[in-house]
Amino acid sequence: MKKLKIRQIIMAITAVITVTSCGNSDEYDGDWDDMIWKTEVKATEQDGTYLVAATGGELTFSCKNYQHPWISEALYAGEYYNPDVQDDEHHTINRQKLSLDWFKAEITGNLLKVTFAPNQATTERPIKLYVTAGDIFYSFTFKQSANK
């Protein structure tokens, strides 16, 4: 009889711990706030696309509500590009940098710096950059003017 009571008490305590530890926490429910990005310098924007001069340049954005976002990938000319691989024995992916011949994106803390080399071609260069902070994603669309 005494063993049965102890067993019931242990089961009740276990049930209480299980129920309270599996509660509905808003912090981890996947309902994340949208990323809020602000440009540090006035950038020309048209229909959600940042316009970049053919001469190239640099744009800086700051994420106002996430401290450490990272780069997911970029889409250019129908092809996806991944963040840079560090040249070490494990070929580690550096999710803070992504580089093409003419385009570079780098995140430090909550700051994103995007650099465009001059466009010598007679066609525009549109590129889409995807960033993330875990379960939340954001995309930047840029279009660099053609050299005329």
Side-chain angles (χ1 to χ4, degrees):
M1 183 76 163
K2 200 172 193 178
K3 282 185 178 182
L4 184 60
K5 241 183 188 176
I6 291 174
R7 217 178 251 171
Q8 288 174 335
I9 291 172
I10 290 173
M11 288 178 71
I13 291 172
T14 303
V16 169
I17 291 171
T18 302
V19 169
T20 58
S21 67
C22 294
N24 210 2
S25 173
D26 287 341
E27 185 177 354
Y28 302 108
D29 69 358
D31 187 21
W32 297 55
D33 293 334
D34 290 339
M35 284 184 164
I36 299 170
W37 290 89
K38 299 291 182 188
T39 181
E40 302 300 310
V41 177
K42 184 68 178 158
T44 305
E45 187 178 359
Q46 181 180 21
D47 298 326
T49 299
Y50 291 97
L51 305 177
V52 180
T55 56
E58 183 177 284
L59 296 171
T60 303
F61 301 88
S62 62
C63 185
K64 297 300 183 183
N65 58 338
Y66 291 94
Q67 292 302 310
H68 300 286
W70 60 90
I71 298 169
S72 178
E73 61 192 1
L75 175 63
Y76 171 64
E79 191 172 334
Y80 286 94
Y81 295 87
N82 295 310
D84 297 345
V85 174
Q86 292 179 353
D87 194 14
D88 63 9
E89 65 185 68
H90 303 290
H91 300 292
T92 307
I93 296 174
N94 181 353
R95 298 237 171 248
Q96 304 312 115
K97 295 180 183 181
L98 186 141
S99 309
L100 303 177
D101 291 340
W102 57 275
F103 173 84
K104 180 180 177 185
E106 184 172 2
I107 294 180
T108 305
N110 68 330
L111 293 177
L112 167 66
K113 182 170 72 171
V114 182
T115 307
F116 292 83
N119 186 359
Q120 303 301 328
T122 57
T123 57
E124 295 177 328
R125 295 195 288 206
I127 188 166
K128 195 165 198 170
L129 179 68
Y130 298 92
V131 295
T132 183
D135 286 344
I136 187 71
F137 297 88
Y138 191 89
S139 64
F140 291 90
T141 304
F142 301 98
K143 182 168 51 173
Q144 187 176 18
S145 297
N147 188 12
K148 297 181 180 182

